[in-house]
Amino acid sequence: MHDLHSERMSGSETRAAGGLAMVFAFRMLGMFMVLPVLATYGMDLKGSTPALIGLAIGAYGLTQAFFQIPFGVISDRIGRRPVIYLGLLIFAAGSVLAAGADSIWGVIAGRVLQGAGAISAAVMALLSDLTREQHRTKSMAMIGMSIGLSFAVAMVVGPLLTRAFGLSGLFLATAGLAIVGILIIAFVVPSSAGPLQHRESGVAKQALIPTLKNPDLLRLDLGILALHAILMASFVALPLALVEQGNLPKEQHWWVYLTALLIGFFGMVPFIIYAEKKRQMKRVLVGAVAVLMLCELYFFEFGTSLQALVIGQVVFFTAFNLLEASLPSLISKVAPAGGKGTAMGVYSTSQFLGAAIGGIVGGWMYQHYGLSGVFIGCAAMALLWLIFAVNMKEPPYVTSLRLPLSAASLQDVGLVERLMAEPGVADAVVVADESAIYIKVDTQQLDRPSLDRLIGSAPVMS
């Protein structure tokens, strides 16, 4: 029997993963492009104050956090595509509303509506419907990379687009991207047989309470909340610091972000490799949080020249990219067997909540205490996170498997116990209504043939 794990992704799986990664990227591009420009260009809008600019930056996070899990659950009922189409249309409508606005309140309303098109859970679920087990991690990684890339592109393209077409042109471009997303779902992404009930990608109601009670998962949820709060608050202050302290006209900010993101992206790679290969994830995470805190203190103390601000941002984005990439991988290691989808749902909700808090608090801090108030506030958030992160346990270095079970294996009451006795098996749970077993394994210790014999089946494609 040839090893399924070395088998290549089929054409339709590649189309599904590539198409959905593009939909994700376009939507995120629309969310992020306003970050580097709203603080500088938004001051020209009627009724604008720094606190309201902060609200406009973070407002999408509130509705995104609120609708994220419900939209995922509805997509289990009525199918993924209708939910994704609806979400993208709501997002486009929010962009058009913001484009037509001449006051800051109109932009805030547009951002709130943009966030209400919360499709991430439905997109992830559709990806699971369209890819086989052994390629799922690869597909999820493609989406992760597309989000990272869209963030980098947004930071550079946002200022360039706004320079050419103003804020309303930027929001119209965002609406256009959402329409392209709809076309990709309609014509590129293959159709699926229907929603699969799948605990690695969707939120399972049974797993919700245990997830909310798990201290290790909550620590990571707090981490992503703090990371995005710090990011959004920093972007109330950094564009203004570049203008006020660095004497850099807002039309030229794009090259600062391009430099910082490029160096930051390549700078994080060795740390990611070290964390995974040497199994030092905790050390790398704690170090990156400490660096983030030091960056904010550095901006507060030394961020008075363009050169200092550029150096600070390079280091900031190295730490930010490293944390953004390692937290989801920690969630999948720490989540109990069969609980990864639910853990990721709560994690995403925390991320959007963090974005909302960061924008709102950052704008308020700037209005009352100026740039230094925002940097000190961000350093305080990072310190709080550091205190929680230092106490985390070294995560288990495990991978999740989902294997189909035969009717006979489903009846086997001692199966989980025998599996848990196998070297390398950290956790196992049978989900009868999916006729499947979820297992967390340490691949360095696992004897795969012996595992397959125990389950009574060579791994079948799911």
Side-chain angles (χ1 to χ4, degrees):
M1 189 194 81
H2 65 290
D3 183 15
L4 280 176
H5 293 265
S6 63
E7 196 185 309
R8 309 244 307 260
M9 284 173 86
S10 69
S12 75
E13 283 175 319
T14 310
R15 266 192 13 242
L20 291 171
M22 278 164 71
V23 170
F24 236 111
F26 285 161
R27 192 167 154 282
M28 288 308 189
L29 204 56
M31 289 292 189
F32 291 140
M33 275 196 303
V34 298
L35 266 192
V37 295
L38 212 49
T40 46
Y41 287 85
M43 283 319 250
D44 304 336
L45 292 163
K46 222 171 35 221
S48 206
T49 66
L52 290 178
I53 291 238
L55 178 58
I57 286 178
Y60 84 92
L62 285 173
T63 37
Q64 184 87 27
F66 186 75
F67 288 111
Q68 152 95 1
I69 291 178
F71 269 35
V73 173
I74 294 168
S75 82
D76 287 340
R77 298 265 163 78
I78 66 168
R80 317 292 184 209
R81 280 166 198 266
V83 170
I84 297 172
Y85 287 140
L86 177 67
L88 286 168
L89 284 171
I90 292 174
F91 180 74
S95 306
V96 171
L97 179 63
D102 56 356
S103 77
I104 186 70
W105 285 107
V107 170
I108 291 170
R111 290 287 279 171
V112 166
L113 194 55
Q114 275 188 333
I119 56 168
S120 356
V123 170
M124 286 303 203
L126 182 58
L127 183 70
S128 287
D129 297 345
L130 294 170
T131 51
R132 283 165 299 165
E133 204 61 49
Q134 61 269 34
H135 300 309
R136 197 142 302 134
T137 313
K138 210 183 305 175
S139 316
M140 297 278 185
M142 280 169 77
I143 286 196
M145 278 161 61
S146 79
I147 295 173
L149 195 64
S150 69
F151 179 72
V153 172
M155 300 312 279
V156 179
V157 172
L160 289 172
L161 263 179
T162 315
R163 180 169 87 177
F165 305 107
L167 269 182
S168 62
L170 177 75
F171 281 117
L172 283 176
T174 300
L177 288 174
I179 302 303
V180 174
I182 290 176
L183 296 173
I184 291 174
I185 294 284
F187 298 111
V188 177
V189 176
S191 52
S192 63
L196 292 175
Q197 287 304 314
H198 201 297
R199 287 194 175 199
E200 295 293 90
S201 58
V203 171
K205 290 191 231 16
Q206 316 85 307
L208 200 51
I209 300 299
T211 300
L212 293 171
K213 285 183 176 168
N214 182 322
D216 293 329
L217 286 174
L218 286 178
R219 203 172 270 128
L220 295 171
D221 294 334
L222 176 93
I224 194 67
L225 184 139
L227 183 64
H228 278 256
I230 290 168
L231 176 74
M232 294 297 164
S234 298
F235 270 98
V236 172
L238 285 173
L240 294 166
L242 286 172
V243 174
E244 291 169 23
Q245 320 267 32
N247 296 321
L248 185 71
K250 59 189 178 187
E251 291 76 21
Q252 289 179 32
H253 287 190
W254 64 272
W255 69 259
V256 176
Y257 303 126
L258 181 62
T259 311
L261 279 156
L262 273 179
I263 300 175
F265 181 76
F266 290 109
M268 74 160 180
V269 174
F271 294 102
I272 293 241
I273 295 170
Y274 169 74
E276 287 284 0
K277 287 269 183 290
K278 299 272 186 251
R279 302 197 162 192
Q280 293 288 353
M281 291 213 59
K282 178 182 173 179
R283 179 183 290 180
V284 168
L285 179 92
V286 170
V289 178
V291 168
L292 209 57
M293 180 181 77
L294 292 173
C295 278
E296 297 291 346
L297 293 173
Y298 167 88
F299 287 135
F300 167 71
E301 188 59 47
F302 304 106
T304 47
S305 70
L306 182 58
Q307 188 185 359
L309 285 166
V310 173
I311 291 169
Q313 288 195 45
V314 166
V315 180
F316 176 88
F317 277 115
T318 306
F320 173 82
N321 287 335
L322 180 56
L323 289 161
E324 184 79 358
S326 14
L327 283 165
S329 131
L330 279 164
I331 287 272
S332 58
K333 287 177 168 53
V334 171
K340 185 167 120 191
T342 309
M344 283 310 285
V346 175
Y347 170 85
S348 295
T349 302
S350 311
Q351 175 177 337
F352 295 124
L353 219 49
I357 292 168
I360 294 164
V361 171
W364 184 86
M365 295 288 282
Y366 179 74
Q367 189 159 326
H368 293 279
Y369 306 104
L371 287 174
S372 50
V374 180
F375 295 136
I376 287 293
C378 288
M381 278 193 275
L383 175 63
L384 180 71
W385 179 11
L386 189 59
I387 293 165
F388 277 90
V390 165
N391 291 320
M392 81 181 227
K393 298 197 283 280
E394 190 66 52
Y397 288 85
V398 289
T399 309
S400 304
L401 299 174
R402 174 184 183 270
L403 301 171
L405 287 180
S406 63
S409 302
L410 275 174
Q411 304 301 320
D412 181 351
V413 280
L415 179 65
V416 169
E417 230 168 89
R418 289 201 303 282
L419 278 172
M420 294 294 287
E422 282 286 298
V425 175
D427 193 8
V429 63
V430 171
V431 180
D433 53 2
E434 293 181 31
S435 304
I437 186 165
Y438 290 89
I439 314 174
K440 310 271 295 198
V441 295
D442 181 334
T443 45
Q444 288 187 6
Q445 299 175 1
L446 181 71
D447 175 4
R448 186 61 199 255
S450 141
L451 177 77
D452 292 336
R453 272 200 304 280
L454 262 179
I455 290 177
S457 67
V460 189
M461 285 189 231
S462 62

